Amino acid sequence: MTTEAAGFKQIAVEDFRITDEPYYLPIQDEVELFEMAYERRIPVLLKGPTGAGKTRFVEYMSWRLHNKGSRSHEEGVPLITVACHEDLTASDLVGRYLLEGDETRWIDGPISRAAKVGAICYLDEIVEARKDTTVLIHPLTDYRRLLPVEKRGELLEAADGFILVMSYNPGYQSALKDLKHSTRQRFIAIEFGYPPRDQEAEIVQIESGVDAATAQDLAKLAEKVRNLKEHGLGEGVSTRLLVYAGKLIAGGIAPRRACQVAVVWALTDDGEVQRSIEEVVTSIFDE
Amino acid sequence: MTLLSDLSTRYGPELRGFGASLPDDFSAALAALEPQLGAEELDRWARDGVALANHSLRSWEAAAEYFRASPEIVGRLGADGLHEWADTAMRLAASSSLMAAAFLKATPDALAVLNTEDMEAWAGQGERLCRGNWKSIALAALYFQVSPSLLRSLPLPSVGRLVDVVDQLTERSYELANTCLEGSPAIFAGLSEDDREPFLRFARAVTRASWADTRLYFDRGPRLLEHVAAEQRAAFLDLSARVTTEVGRQGFPLFADAADALAQMPEEDHRDLLGFASRLAPGSPTSAMEYLKSAPFMRTRLNEQQMEQWQDVGLDILLAERNPEGAEAYFRLESTRAEETMRALSSRVELASISTMLRMYAKALSGEPVSVLSAEDLVEQNIGWVTESSATTEGSAIYLPPFVATFEEQDANFQVYKVFTTHQTARIEFGSFRYRWDRDGAFAPSSMAGREAAAHERRTASQERERGEAITSIQRFFNCFDDRTLISGLFTIVEDTRIDSHVAREYGGIRRWLHRLQEWEAERRPRVEEMALRQAFVENLLRESLRRPDTIRWPVVFREYLSQGLAALKIVEQEGATVQDSAEVAASLYDIATAIPNIITPLADGKHEWDGPTEEMLSLQPGMPSGADGPEMQPSDQEMQFENPPQPEFRGDFKPELVQLLARLKNQVEGGEDGAMAPLTKEQLMEMLENSVELSIAEWAEGDLDQSLGMFLENMEQAAQQAPGDKKPDDAKGGAEQDGGKGDGGEGELPVEIEWSYYDEWDFRAGDYRPRWTRVGERYGKEEDSDFYEETLRRYHGLVMETRKQFEMMRPEAFKKIKRLEDGEELDLDLAIEFTIDKKAGIGPSGRVYNRRNKLERDVAVAFLLDMSASTDEEIEKQRVKHEAGDDEDDNFDGDPRRYFQWLAARRAKAMVEPPKRIIDLEKESTVLIVEALEAIGDSYGIYGFSGYGRENVEFHVIKDLKEQKDDRVLKRIGSIEPIRSTRMGPAIRHTIHKLDEYDAKVKILILVSDGRPQDHGYGRDRTEKEYAVHDTKQALNEAKRLGITPFLITVDKEGHDYLKQMCDDIGYEVVDDIESLPRRLPTLYRHLAAD
């Protein structure tokens, strides 16, 4: 169901498909791994720091599986993304009753919809969700491929193309925010690190439209800043931020300033650390 | 009969019976006077003399002086004058003949500088000193004795003022008065005329303020003044007098310190300094002197204009803000504002203020856990680095000079630091220390095997002792060359060139400053034309490496050598060059350099004309030398010892041999990757160090080289054992340094490890913080045994159970259902029905029909701070007696000693069975209870104790850190809490705040348990002052509140209300009246505090 109006487009979640090829530069064998997992219906866990390209990878795979006309999915694989958060409850995922007029009406949650249409269901930042919520997906991930809809007393069998993909950032690891073993052992895990300098430079160059030398410098900066992880920084600078910086530079903002707003200030609020990174920036960029 | 014989006969007999010489004196004087006086007059004179002699027991001595002096002064005084003089003497003799004698004796000399009409006044001043006792008489006599010379430098009225001073001193000590008076003539003679009066005025002020200092002033004053600009001395003395009148006994010490300070300043500045000081003096005399005292230090940081700006801020505090105490602290440099103003104005950059930042910067660049430390630290380690002022690295840490003041602007100096750091980091990043024996470079293949063989052959041929096996690769490399100074110098230049090129290529932003420093260095090179040839060759390479080939100067005939050298150097400027390339290039440069004799060439012989670089030289392509084919150079007997030209400052010290050795030692300690390598023998080490040019052995203790080397090796090994993490530099906020032994938390009696932090202290008078005023030493409490803990649990069994239960009830349930929401997980059936009914009935229905379960979390962190001051040692019984004095059993003894002793014995017996409880015991027991309670509720908690003595040594004992879990060690530490010394609360609170602030929790509470007011040595203006401590503590508590920490005070001091009211304002506190209820009270209080 698609509604088009002036200025915006409204699509039902299950209808969302990626039609244009998203830019993605494979770093290792992750593309083949994912394809194989999809073929065998093995759920996938994407591990890695923020901004390393997990979401982009899922989008790319969704497009790729669609466009390759991969066997039974001539129509392509829809992608349903759920951003997980602390207050995400089971009903948010599965569905709930709403009052409408004098009666109640059942609304499917995103996971139910994905199961019905056979989509890639992408649970972004799964650790943020409450542990009692994550248990809910267990039956969907193994051979049963079932989603119990408790409130309606039903079982929903997932359509053929359905697969669960979750992402997770081990960087925040703390006792509170960790995946239960019963959950994590239902997925194969693909690790996403930051790309090596040259590849990262390529990504930044293509994504932001900045020249090759600047892209190299940005990648160099990223490498240096990431050295500070655990020594003042909780997380290294993401490729995404580099792309932002690149876009600003390509748009005519002075590199130092662009890095200040897109890298330094975005990374930390600690004055001392800010200053250190700023000095790295001024060492690398001339103006 | 002549008049003479007549008078002799008349008075002669009367003079007999006194001293033997008296008649002779008389006769001699008579003879001398006769021509000048008439008969009448002469007779009167003689009568006066006789009267004087007869006046009292020893007045004949005065008479003798009278006779002796008369001939000398008769010309000045005339006959009538003589008579008056005699009258005065008679009057003095009435008080003391000794004084009269002194007066008479001194008269001739005094009259040389005194008007005759002033004589009476002069005598009167002496008379004033005489009080009848012998000490005063001696003093008065001394007065007359010294006054002739004194009067030569001081006019009579001034002498009068001096007498005032001396007179005042006599009230305290005649001896002191004597000494001062005795020294005066010399002192005043030494002073210039204009300074004498001011000196005297200040003397008067000092004597009034603190009599004992007068001697010091008379002793040291003139010498102190010597270094003050001559025309400013009077002003300085007047200022000092003024200050002393105001501040009293501090006056002289201030004067002395200020004079010392002035001595360190150039004389032409004294005028301005004193001018400004006198502007301060009316509002705050102390400030004026403190200003002078601080001036030399300030001048090391600020230039003249900056200094003016700095002092104007202080003047503003005094005049505009009307805060003399603040100004005083400002000029004493004990205020945060003073420091901040200075830092803002000064162009000098201190390492301390940027080291944390630079550490992270270096870490980012190198990707290694490097630390940034002051070069002073490295020098202290005594492992071969000796210059505190240059940057360097020993492979795991970067050492920087403590400050940089190269340029006029602050930012520029900061950039200098950055270039320093970048260069040293780059050595780590680009592998200056990763030289491996005989590996090919990216551009130059290794020639080392051949060179080693050749060197071996050379040594065999010359029957030189073969060198032992090298310990490190770089040592083996150096071993291939006979002149280690030369090869080491060349390797340094080549490697630094490579590093600079890498930096300039990789870090486009720092390039500009790197070049500016290269430029700066290039302009300060020594004159190359004056160097011996080989040294000049090296110097020219260095100039090329500083990117200033245009400054090259070199004999025309030897051009080819230099061209080849320059081309070789260019090899390492290429991208991808490694340290192996540097080594090869250095080796080939060595070949060229050794072909050049190290002789001074005569400039003017035409043949050796020096020239700048040729076009060709400026556009050379990188290339290894093809073998020198310049003109043959004959070895000369004028060959000089080769010395390397000075290294540019920004590149710092480069000691690859030592660094590799350290790394090797470290490996040995850690049994690292190269575990297969045999451990080093002492002989190996010795040989290496003796040969290395990176050590200047000459600077070591002469003679005992063996011992020095041994000690050095020990230091080296110690440095190797240090894990990189140990070299923690200053922390951002407080700053921490390691103390005590190393050793990684081993068992047993290791020295206590103390981590120091520094905190400001609030000076309420100045209304400003005293920067880094207190030093808090954090250490873990001793672990005794956990008996105390268990014993307390047993004793308070009931209370423990009760408290635990109460606390468990506070524990939140895991989930809480929230009803009546507009949106939620599920519909509430009842509400939904109600909604439908309402709607049907036409009543506006409430849409809030959903439920939701929310998770509740309790997130509280609490720190308990226990007072471990000596006063907590007091037994409670005694304290009670103190408070309830009067009511006691004493009366019951009815003066019967037997009953008293019975009572005493009973009490002692009781005490044996159950030792009397002290306040600290109750604090400990309360701790046990609260630990139990907190474990039940699950809040994070820390328990700390504090005490100490003085601002430099605030002891902070960790019983249980916030981050620690409750374990056996914690319980043991509780047992060890003991009373120690004083109670400096402020720093202890600040340190606790620091801990809480770093801890992640929503609710933070600080509970301070004490037994009295804060007090410590120097915690206030003097011993009795209480205000200062109270204000500082209050300020510390406010700081806690500002950081979102809830402070609470509990005291068992019954008189606590008065100061707590002042200290706590709106901060919660409680005075626990019944001390013994503390263990019960503490958990209850906590429950209320942390209830929500």
Side-chain angles (χ1 to χ4, degrees), chain B residues 130-360:
Chain B
C130 181
R131 297 254 162 70
N133 57 44
W134 68 268
K135 281 181 178 173
S136 70
I137 293 168
L139 186 67
L142 181 66
Y143 163 78
F144 287 115
Q145 190 188 323
V146 299
S147 37
S149 48
L150 202 51
L151 283 166
R152 232 162 270 143
S153 34
L154 280 181
L156 188 62
S158 304
V159 173
R161 278 188 282 278
L162 177 65
V163 169
D164 288 342
V165 170
V166 173
D167 192 30
Q168 189 141 35
L169 283 176
T170 59
E171 284 171 22
R172 301 286 184 166
S173 154
Y174 270 101
E175 194 204 340
L176 185 57
N178 247 321
T179 321
C180 291
L181 187 56
E182 205 167 2
S184 298
I187 291 172
F188 286 99
L191 293 172
S192 81
E193 207 177 325
D194 295 337
D195 301 342
R196 288 171 189 154
E197 252 325 288
F199 188 91
L200 207 49
R201 280 200 288 272
F202 182 38
R204 197 158 57 178
V206 171
T207 308
R208 278 193 195 136
S210 163
W211 60 275
D213 281 338
T214 314
R215 188 211 302 256
L216 282 177
Y217 174 54
F218 274 67
D219 270 359
R220 295 178 45 203
R223 242 175 309 132
L224 285 169
L225 283 172
E226 265 170 34
H227 300 287
V228 179
E231 77 285 356
Q232 292 304 319
R233 285 178 200 154
F236 179 47
L237 285 166
D238 279 341
L239 177 69
S240 304
R242 177 174 193 168
V243 169
T244 307
T245 319
E246 298 270 343
V247 304
R249 54 192 321 125
Q250 275 307 306
F252 178 72
L254 280 173
F255 159 81
D257 290 346
D260 277 340
L262 280 170
Q264 298 168 44
M265 302 290 287
E267 290 206 353
E268 60 269 24
D269 289 354
H270 289 189
R271 205 183 107 102
D272 289 344
L273 287 166
L274 287 165
F276 184 76
S278 54
R279 283 171 71 192
L280 291 173
S284 164
T286 315
S287 294
M289 298 312 253
E290 295 293 351
Y291 162 73
L292 292 175
K293 278 165 65 180
S294 303
F297 173 78
M298 292 307 300
R299 278 313 294 272
T300 62
R301 305 301 165 98
L302 303 176
N303 65 25
E304 222 165 302
Q305 291 87 26
Q306 289 163 344
M307 177 97 169
E308 266 170 35
Q309 282 169 283
W310 179 79
Q311 61 200 32
D312 283 347
V313 174
L315 190 66
D316 251 17
I317 297 180
L318 180 64
L319 300 182
E321 295 172 23
R322 292 169 196 281
N323 180 0
E325 307 269 4
E328 208 177 291
Y330 183 91
F331 288 112
R332 203 188 288 131
L333 300 176
E334 279 175 8
S335 92
T336 309
R337 197 139 142 214
E339 279 211 346
E340 274 169 7
T341 315
M342 177 179 79
R343 207 171 299 143
L345 288 169
S346 172
S347 58
R348 156 169 163 154
V349 177
E350 310 272 334
L351 177 62
S353 62
I354 52 168
S355 67
T356 317
M357 199 268 293
L358 287 178
R359 183 177 79 225
M360 274 189 272

Side-chain angles (χ1 to χ4, degrees), chain B residues 505-561:
Chain B
R505 214 174 6 252
E506 283 283 306
Y507 303 111
I510 200 89
R511 199 184 299 148
R512 194 187 324 158
W513 279 99
L514 175 63
H515 291 171
R516 184 159 165 196
L517 272 177
Q518 286 176 336
E519 192 75 12
W520 192 85
E521 288 286 351
E523 279 161 18
R524 282 162 184 75
R525 298 308 301 168
R527 272 175 64 82
V528 68
E529 293 90 337
E530 286 163 10
M531 294 181 183
L533 267 188
R534 192 181 298 152
Q535 195 187 8
F537 172 73
V538 178
E539 169 67 23
N540 279 324
L541 291 175
L542 191 58
R543 291 183 179 194
E544 159 72 23
S545 117
L546 290 173
R547 299 168 15 98
R548 286 296 299 274
D550 57 302
T551 60
I552 286 176
R553 294 289 176 276
W554 185 243
V556 180
V557 284
F558 301 138
R559 250 182 210 155
E560 187 50 31
Y561 287 99

Side-chain angles (χ1 to χ4, degrees), chain A residues 102-210:
Chain A
D102 282 349
E103 43 197 43
T104 55
R105 187 166 72 88
W106 175 257
I107 303 273
D108 270 336
I111 208 164
S112 306
R113 293 184 188 209
K116 281 179 180 168
V117 300
I120 296 176
C121 180
Y122 178 45
L123 302 176
D124 199 2
E125 299 288 358
I126 186 69
V127 277
E128 296 292 336
R130 273 156 45 173
K131 282 178 191 163
D132 56 319
T133 315
T134 37
V135 176
L136 179 91
I137 59 172
H138 287 185
L140 262 181
T141 53
D142 51 28
Y143 64 92
R144 293 173 281 178
R145 294 174 62 77
L146 288 174
L147 179 65
V149 187
E150 207 185 319
K151 285 178 188 148
R152 287 167 71 94
E154 291 172 354
L155 277 179
L156 180 62
E157 198 184 327
D160 192 30
F162 174 81
I163 189 183
L164 254 182
V165 179
M166 317 195 298
S167 77
Y168 153 63
N169 182 351
Y172 308 142
Q173 222 163 31
S174 72
L176 282 175
K177 290 185 174 170
D178 201 1
L179 274 181
K180 274 178 190 254
H181 268 276
S182 56
T183 307
R184 66 189 299 165
Q185 294 201 8
R186 286 162 189 275
F187 293 79
I188 62 160
I190 301 179
E191 286 251 19
F192 276 72
Y194 299 111
R197 197 200 276 193
D198 288 339
Q199 276 160 313
E200 188 159 40
E202 192 183 329
I203 297 170
V204 172
Q205 190 185 351
I206 291 174
E207 286 277 287
S208 67
V210 88

Side-chain angles (χ1 to χ4, degrees), chain B residues 549-592:
Chain B
D550 57 302
T551 60
I552 286 176
R553 294 289 176 276
W554 185 243
V556 180
V557 284
F558 301 138
R559 250 182 210 155
E560 187 50 31
Y561 287 99
L562 189 59
S563 291
Q564 291 202 10
L566 294 177
L569 191 59
K570 282 200 188 308
I571 291 178
V572 295
E573 288 178 2
Q574 303 171 89
E575 192 166 358
T578 66
V579 68
Q580 307 297 138
D581 290 302
S582 297
E584 279 306 320
V585 169
S588 65
L589 290 174
Y590 180 89
D591 294 341
I592 303 176

Side-chain angles (χ1 to χ4, degrees), chain A residues 220 224 227 279 282-283 286, chain B residues 361 364 418 429 506-507 509:
Chain A
K220 189 190 297 167
K224 304 294 177 200
N227 284 336
E279 291 308 331
T282 52
S283 279
D286 199 13
Chain B
Y361 172 78
K418 219 177 133 181
E429 189 184 355
E506 283 283 306
Y507 303 111

